[in-house]
Amino acid sequence: MNVNKIALVGNPNTGKTSLFNALTGLNQQVGNFPGVTVDKKVGKLKLQNRSIEIIDLPGTYSIYPRSKDEEVVYDILSNPQHVDFPDVVCVIVDSSNLERNLLLFTQVYALAIPIVLVLNMSDIAFRKGKKIAIEKIREQFPEANIIETNARIKLGVKKLIDILEKRINPRNDVPKALISKSDVIAQQQDTENKFQEINELVKSCVVQDSSLKTRHKVTRLDRLFVHPIWGYSIFLVVLLALFQLIFTLASFPMDLIDTLFGSLSAYLHGILPAGMFTELLANGIIPGIGGVIIFVPQIVLLFFFIGILEETGYMSRVVFIMDRIMRPFGLNGKSVVPLLSSAACAIPGVMASRTISNWKERLITILVAPLMSCSARIPVYTLLISLVIPNRMVFGFLNLQGLTFFALYALGIISALLVAVVLRMFIKTKEESVLLLELPDLKSPRWKNVGITVFDKARLFLVGAGKIIVAISIVLWALGTFGPTERIQNAVQKIEKPINKNEVQLAAYEKQVNAVKFENSYIGILGKTIEPVIKPLGYDWKIGISLITSFAAREVFVGSMATIYSVDADGEETRSLLEKMKQEKNSDGQPVYRLASGLSLMVFYVYAMQCMATFAVVKRETKSWKWPIIQLLYMGVMAYVSSWIIFQIFS
Amino acid sequence: MQEVLVIFFIVFAIVYLGKKVFYWLKPKEDTCEACAFGKATKE
């Protein structure tokens, strides 16, 4: 038969995405906890003279859906008219746990769609001393193709491709219709019957060979990781070490990049003919790009360490222990993955909430997810910490800047939990979802996967956010360079010209003229208009402008500051942004960036929903404008009030 | 010449940002392509 479309289905964490990557040559993110794939992913398996479409579907334990992501599987397989209805279904099962995995296979088999049973993770079954008698399974399911694989190392993948290309068994049996989504009792009965059949089958086809069973050396370590006291202590130490390392290791490449871009601006000023485009390039585009690239070392380090934690299986233990912490706050176990994902980016976090079957619980998770500090906040936190927190050690071994970084992340997590408690008072839920989590074996990381994660995140940061930052830098440069001519002329005329035209006096005059021109530019007028609103928080109008532009994305804050301070730099391009900001003074002579205003700004960025893309995704996931607007408002009010309190306390 | 280049870049930046805002806010199909910073679907 001619196969054009193949669907990959299976329980969560059975290696579907690994197999998808092996078949298509793509590099989709794989994970070892549920919720990594919450939507279908499509790729092409290229054969000699044609290609087959491969659809990777979200993991599900049964064909009968309990959550939005599981519905995707039911909707596609129950409807032959569906645009994604496959010619062949590959059911991927974890060979070491056939008892549970075969349920989905038996349900899909009953649909009479040509089917391949992929006995994946054969290495783990082997390590656990399990031998599978494939002929016994074949006797019971004669129409299915059956193959053993280990997708992680691409073992059996060639054979699978060969089957898909040439040797698929056609189905001649009559399909059984699926029970309707709403008939839960009939589904339950059907599931129980199937489990009885599966238990009989597993008894006959799985042989436990005690000579093959290797002793699990990691069991003791595992007990520590999920221990009610040691588990949390270890997690705390891991997080502290992570932030310390990020801060310490990233400082050298960051300083280097900062100096390079400062010098590049000055160099361009020197070699290009004087004019407007040179100004745009040296004071707008170059500082804007520099403002993005400088944070790549930190993003790379963060995702490198997170990648290692995920790959070793430690993150699954974190999900497990966090489930225990979150319950008293009214967040159920399934909220853990979306919230932890939000620590990288709120968008996949909000989307991972699709695994939560109860709508109200899902809504609460979506509403608090952006409070977790995402990677876009790293540039903002780093810049502000470097400005106002001294670089010294506390307790002899902890760097104060790294500790502040950790505290900001902790503030985000604690606030998300507290807001969830408050939201539950208004959004009442009757039933609670439970987290079903399989702890994968602890293992050494696969460096290729870590590398893919790091590369993807760095690319997304550079290309995704970078383009927006550069575009905003250009607009900001224009707004800072131009202004109402008459207003600028009047303001300049008010400055006293030096009587003795010596160099020092002329330079001082030029500096004053530039400052006045900048203050009367369009950006200056806009900034001065909003200044009264943000002054109680300790911010000046330049920060106000960056607060507005960073609504597009938080990391835009740094690019905007770089451009604003470049336009206002009086030809001192070689100074780094940090130096320019450190020397910035208020009208009363006090530094703009002191401890009070710096902390206030950091807290503002912990709470404010400064992300257009998250706003759009929340609108899409909740299918209304109401919830993203409520989220924007409550987070905005929290940000304003908390920042004001912090500023008052530290002033 | 420099002025022309500057105008071109400014117009380009404004159009790009405008398109981005419309892209974020317009209704989309139920796929993860919607996110500009998150995971993108590869087809």
Side-chain angles (χ1 to χ4, degrees), chain A residues 36 42 277 347 612 616 620, chain B residues 2 24 31-32 35 39 42:
Chain A
V36 172
V42 184
F277 184 66
I347 293 157
M612 190 84 168
R620 199 186 45 148
Chain B
Q2 290 223 3
W24 280 326
T31 71
C32 57
C35 46
K39 289 186 284 181
K42 288 181 181 178

Side-chain angles (χ1 to χ4, degrees), chain A residues 28 170 290 304 315 327 505 582:
Chain A
Q28 285 292 345
F304 175 72
M315 281 306 269
R327 285 186 180 278
Q505 280 181 327
K582 268 184 185 163

Side-chain angles (χ1 to χ4, degrees), chain A residues 130-433:
Chain A
K130 288 182 177 178
K131 266 186 175 173
I132 299 166
I134 293 180
E135 62 281 4
K136 297 271 183 195
I137 306 176
R138 201 166 276 138
E139 275 171 26
Q140 202 152 333
F141 302 99
E143 310 265 330
N145 292 81
I146 304 174
I147 181 171
E148 272 189 295
T149 61
N150 179 0
R152 268 170 64 99
I153 55 165
K154 296 188 178 175
L155 193 75
V157 173
K158 268 192 183 162
K159 207 171 158 191
L160 175 64
I161 294 173
D162 183 55
I163 291 174
L164 293 172
E165 195 181 359
K166 302 167 196 158
R167 295 192 282 121
I168 278 291
N169 295 342
R171 297 293 296 265
N172 301 313
D173 46 343
V174 183
K176 284 182 195 152
L178 282 173
I179 300 165
S180 108
K181 265 194 254 184
S182 54
D183 194 352
V184 181
I185 295 169
Q187 289 173 13
Q188 217 166 348
Q189 190 59 51
D190 181 59
T191 305
E192 278 172 22
N193 293 341
K194 286 219 159 63
F195 265 129
Q196 274 178 3
E197 289 169 29
I198 291 165
N199 282 339
E200 291 304 314
L201 173 66
V202 170
K203 266 182 208 163
S204 66
C205 78
V206 178
V207 183
Q208 185 72 50
D209 185 345
S210 52
S211 67
L212 284 175
K213 193 172 181 178
T214 51
R215 211 179 128 74
H216 281 264
K217 293 172 192 166
V218 289
T219 315
R220 196 174 291 173
L221 201 59
D222 226 356
R223 276 197 210 116
L224 266 180
F225 286 156
V226 297
H227 190 272
I229 296 163
W230 291 113
Y232 295 108
S233 315
I234 292 170
F235 182 46
L236 205 69
V237 171
V238 166
L239 274 188
L240 260 173
L242 185 94
F243 291 122
Q244 293 287 319
L245 275 172
I246 289 173
F247 239 87
T248 319
L249 297 179
S251 60
F252 173 69
M254 285 176 78
D255 288 345
L256 192 71
I257 295 168
D258 201 14
T259 315
L260 274 176
F261 274 86
S263 307
L264 183 63
S265 269
Y267 176 70
L268 287 177
H269 246 295
I271 59 155
L272 292 176
M276 222 182 250
F277 184 66
T278 305
E279 290 297 316
L280 169 64
L281 204 61
N283 295 341
I285 297 175
I286 299 293
I289 296 173
V292 184
I293 295 181
I294 192 170
F295 296 102
V296 170
Q298 284 198 330
I299 303 276
V300 164
L301 281 170
L302 177 75
F303 285 103
F304 175 72
F305 292 126
I306 288 182
I308 291 175
L309 296 181
E310 266 189 31
E311 272 290 307
T312 50
Y314 179 69
M315 281 306 269
S316 301
R317 274 77 187 166
V318 172
V319 170
F320 181 82
I321 58 172
M322 290 304 279
D323 177 36
R324 224 168 2 207
I325 270 196
M326 287 193 177
R327 285 186 180 278
F329 294 91
L331 282 167
N332 75 84
K334 281 195 171 177
S335 306
V336 180
V337 176
L339 290 184
L340 286 181
S341 302
S342 299
C345 174
I347 293 157
V350 168
M351 291 188 45
S353 73
R354 288 181 186 184
T355 56
I356 303 170
S357 50
N358 183 304
W359 160 242
K360 288 180 177 175
E361 286 179 351
R362 191 173 161 225
L363 182 62
I364 293 174
T365 308
I366 289 175
L367 289 178
V368 301
L371 285 170
M372 305 289 288
S373 282
C374 60
S375 55
R377 284 165 169 113
I378 293 178
V380 185
Y381 290 169
T382 309
L383 180 70
L384 296 172
I385 288 173
S386 309
L387 269 174
V388 299
I389 306 290
N391 186 9
R392 63 179 168 86
M393 300 303 253
V394 283
F395 310 120
F397 66 100
L398 286 173
N399 177 289
L400 187 61
Q401 292 188 329
L403 200 63
T404 314
F405 207 55
F406 169 78
L408 291 170
Y409 268 76
L411 180 66
I413 298 170
I414 294 165
S415 306
L417 296 178
L418 294 177
V419 171
V421 173
V422 177
L423 286 174
R424 265 182 87 95
M425 292 175 191
F426 299 101
I427 308 169
K428 298 212 182 293
T429 58
K430 283 178 189 163
E431 53 179 297
E432 272 190 12
S433 309

